[in-house]
Amino acid sequence: MQPAPVICGIGTSLPDRVVTNDDLAARLDTSDEWIRTRTGIRERRTVDPGTATGDLAHAAAQGALKSAGSAAVDLVILATTTPDHPCPATAPHVAQRLGLTGVPAWDLAAVCSGFVYALACASSFVRSGSATRVLVIGADTYSTITDPDDRSTRAIFGDGAGAVVVRAGTADEDGAIGPVTLGSDGSLKDAILVDAGGSRRPLLDGLAHDGRYFTMQGKTVFRHAVERMSQSAEKVRTEAGWSTGDVDCLVAHQANARIIDAVAAHMGLAPEQCALSIERLGNTAAASIPLAMAEAARSGQLRAGSRVLLTAFGGGATWGAAALTWPDVTPVSI
């Protein structure tokens, strides 16, 4: 019998520094009301100088391994768009810090869909028998790539990391990951963009503002995010054999509260069925889904056996969704 991927541990890590809407309003032409009504965000976490994505990823991974009850894994996948360095990848160093030297480890860049993409990769390795335990991390520090003077992006993003351990098990276990779907559309590559720093536009000495910060075409992203997240979530729901009434919780990428509301409405789900961390954490990119799952588990919204849909949309454009049942695990925050 083919093994099934099963989530058996979850961990999180957040910077200590809290940045409120009022803190931003003291610097930018904005207000708490303006930010809340457009995004649903009240505050977010921001790393201090000297703290990198790899530091948050390492701490979240420690939490996930502790939650899983074992530090042994066969491979490590880190979903991030803000690696510690352009080269090398951050994942091998995170693995080494965890005592996993020699274990395959790599970064995966699918922006805000990164965690779902990484979960899909982990699931495939487990189903094929190539791995029995996989550490999947989503971590980003968007405060390092957003323009501090741009209210449209600075107000949205926060920093954080979340991780899960996926092990080989059976499809009838709590925690089993069911259908997964992924997609992309490169014609939307400019909708979410950091223009400089790659081979097409190297980040040369003297390049101050132009191209080095994150930019986003808000209306375009909103429209495509709602469409793609709804469609992909419906696809895996159908493939799982669930009716709309069978779904206990929707864990959507925490991009914007209005996007989450719109996706839920498209799917016929009530607002109270959505896991939400955006008000307190903002958009944490690849970390948003594991962070939202952990918060929902801590609050009791997710219980062992809950039927869960994950769905995300990110730059590229990329999107993906997964259906799973929630395991009997306790999230660990470090």
Side-chain angles (χ1 to χ4, degrees):
M1 180 183 297
Q2 184 185 57
V6 176
I7 293 175
C8 63
I10 183 167
T12 62
S13 181
L14 294 167
D16 292 331
R17 183 183 171 202
V18 176
V19 178
T20 68
N21 292 346
D22 288 334
D23 292 332
L24 295 180
R27 175 187 176 113
L28 304 173
D29 179 20
T30 190
S31 67
D32 173 64
E33 181 183 10
W34 189 93
I35 297 170
R36 280 190 295 105
T37 56
R38 286 162 177 78
T39 68
I41 301 169
R42 291 181 181 272
E43 62 185 41
R44 71 287 295 148
R45 301 294 184 93
T46 300
V47 293
D48 290 322
T51 299
T53 295
D55 299 319
L56 297 182
H58 173 245
Q62 285 182 306
L65 295 171
K66 183 176 181 179
S67 174
S70 173
V73 297
D74 301 316
L75 58 92
V76 178
I77 307 171
L78 170 59
T80 186
T81 322
T82 56
D84 291 2
H85 309 281
C87 175
T90 303
H93 188 218
V94 171
Q96 179 265 321
R97 292 173 67 181
L98 293 167
L100 299 171
T101 300
V103 169
W106 65 87
D107 292 359
L108 186 155
V111 195
C112 296
S113 299
F115 181 80
V116 176
Y117 265 68
L119 196 67
C121 289
S123 297
S124 295
F125 271 90
V126 169
R127 292 185 196 279
S128 70
S130 299
T132 57
R133 293 177 71 88
V134 183
L135 176 61
V136 177
I137 312 167
D140 271 307
T141 52
Y142 264 56
S143 66
T144 63
I145 61 170
T146 50
D147 185 344
D149 296 319
D150 178 10
R151 69 174 184 174
S152 65
T153 57
R154 182 65 187 92
I156 294 172
F157 290 95
D159 302 336
V164 298
V165 177
V166 178
R167 64 164 174 81
T170 60
D172 58 354
E173 287 185 73
D174 288 343
I177 300 168
V180 179
T181 186
L182 303 174
S184 72
D185 181 358
S187 71
L188 297 172
K189 69 179 182 65
D190 294 332
I192 296 172
L193 180 68
V194 177
D195 192 37
S199 61
R200 189 166 297 281
R201 189 179 180 193
L203 192 60
L204 304 174
D205 290 341
L207 181 63
H209 248 253
D210 185 30
R212 61 186 280 238
Y213 289 126
F214 175 94
T215 61
M216 180 170 61
Q217 299 171 15
K219 292 182 179 179
T220 298
V221 171
F222 190 104
R223 183 175 72 255
H224 285 281
V226 171
E227 177 183 357
R228 296 301 190 177
M229 289 167 69
S230 302
Q231 289 176 346
S232 57
E234 282 289 338
K235 185 175 188 293
V236 296
R237 179 191 64 76
T238 301
E239 291 178 356
W242 299 347
S243 68
T244 300
D246 290 329
V247 178
D248 295 307
C249 188
L250 174 69
V251 185
H253 165 52
Q254 308 286 296
N256 181 304
R258 293 189 298 163
I259 290 177
I260 298 170
D261 288 344
V263 172
H266 273 252
M267 298 182 65
L269 300 174
E272 57 268 23
Q273 290 176 275
C274 300
L276 296 173
S277 63
I278 189 168
E279 181 180 21
R280 193 172 65 85
L281 301 181
N283 180 344
T284 52
S288 79
I289 284 182
L291 286 171
M293 290 195 301
E295 289 220 345
R298 293 185 183 109
S299 71
Q301 184 178 13
L302 285 180
R303 297 179 175 87
S306 294
R307 292 180 172 179
V308 185
L309 295 176
L310 313 181
T311 186
F313 178 87
T318 61
W319 58 85
L324 57 91
T325 57
W326 190 249
D328 183 13
V329 296
T330 301
V332 176
S333 179
I334 293 179

